[in-house]
Amino acid sequence: MSEPNMPSKGLRFAVDYGPLLVFFIAYYTAGIMWATAAIMVATALMLAVSWYFERRLAPLPLITAALVAVFGGLTLLLADETFIKMKPTIVKTLIAAVLLGGLTLGKPLLKPLFGAVWKIDDNGWHRLTLRFGLFFVAMAILNEIVWRTQSTDFWVNYKLFGTIGLTFAFSLTQIPVFRRHWIEEAAKNE
């Protein structure tokens, strides 16, 4: 049996952010309940595409899909949008707990995820893992504040534009850590 093709960066982006875009479009064309059903289907399709190309399912997309299924199902079953609004809080809290929990055990868990791409020393991995763990705590809190105090329209826009924008901006602020902790030998051998 031949090795499956690895997806292009464009396909990887579509797999990672496609369900969110589907949710956004469905919300503005048909409302929150249809958007919830749409993200459930899109997430299942995302898992299928990931499996097709990579022949494996990474833990985070699996956990996210399970939470989408549970909280989306509750939203539809009970006709209560609260559940789908809580899902990002729970996902971000779980990510933060894993990252920060790993650090308490002396394991910067970003390293096994991104070590093949980012060649930085162990001190850099610890710093990045701590910072991203705290960032996800802040994002969980922010989601709670937004969905509890703002309209559903505002929350949907925040979910798409706010979370992606804040994540991108935060990631850019970490460039000095990369520069300080980059391993030159690794860069020269590549």
Side-chain angles (χ1 to χ4, degrees), residues 25-103:
I25 292 168
Y27 174 76
Y28 278 103
T29 57
I32 191 76
M33 295 303 161
W34 282 102
T36 299
I39 199 170
M40 292 171 71
V41 170
T43 301
L45 288 173
M46 176 253 330
L47 286 178
V49 168
S50 290
W51 176 257
Y52 176 78
F53 283 104
E54 298 174 352
R55 293 290 187 244
R56 70 177 189 86
L57 294 174
L60 184 58
L62 268 176
I63 292 167
T64 300
L67 290 171
V68 165
V70 169
F71 285 90
L74 287 170
T75 296
L76 296 175
L77 182 67
L78 301 174
D80 185 350
E81 63 191 48
T82 300
F83 296 103
I84 200 67
K85 290 177 176 179
M86 289 170 48
K87 193 256 329 158
T89 301
I90 293 167
V91 169
K92 286 166 180 41
T93 300
L94 285 173
I95 294 169
V98 167
L99 292 176
L100 297 174
L103 279 180

Side-chain angles (χ1 to χ4, degrees), residues 88-90 92-93 135-145:
T89 301
I90 293 167
K92 286 166 180 41
T93 300
F135 172 74
F136 281 109
V137 168
M139 291 297 287
I141 293 168
L142 187 55
N143 185 69
E144 281 297 298
I145 291 169

Side-chain angles (χ1 to χ4, degrees), residues 145-167:
I145 291 169
V146 170
W147 84 260
R148 290 176 185 272
T149 64
Q150 303 301 312
S151 69
T152 299
D153 282 348
F154 186 93
W155 175 78
V156 168
N157 285 304
Y158 162 76
K159 183 173 167 49
L160 180 63
F161 301 112
T163 58
I164 292 173
L166 289 170
T167 302

Side-chain angles (χ1 to χ4, degrees), residues 120-142:
I120 59 175
D121 63 32
D122 286 341
N123 191 20
W125 284 117
H126 281 275
R127 286 176 190 260
L128 282 176
T129 301
L130 175 63
R131 290 175 180 195
F132 272 94
L134 294 174
F135 172 74
F136 281 109
V137 168
M139 291 297 287
I141 293 168
L142 187 55

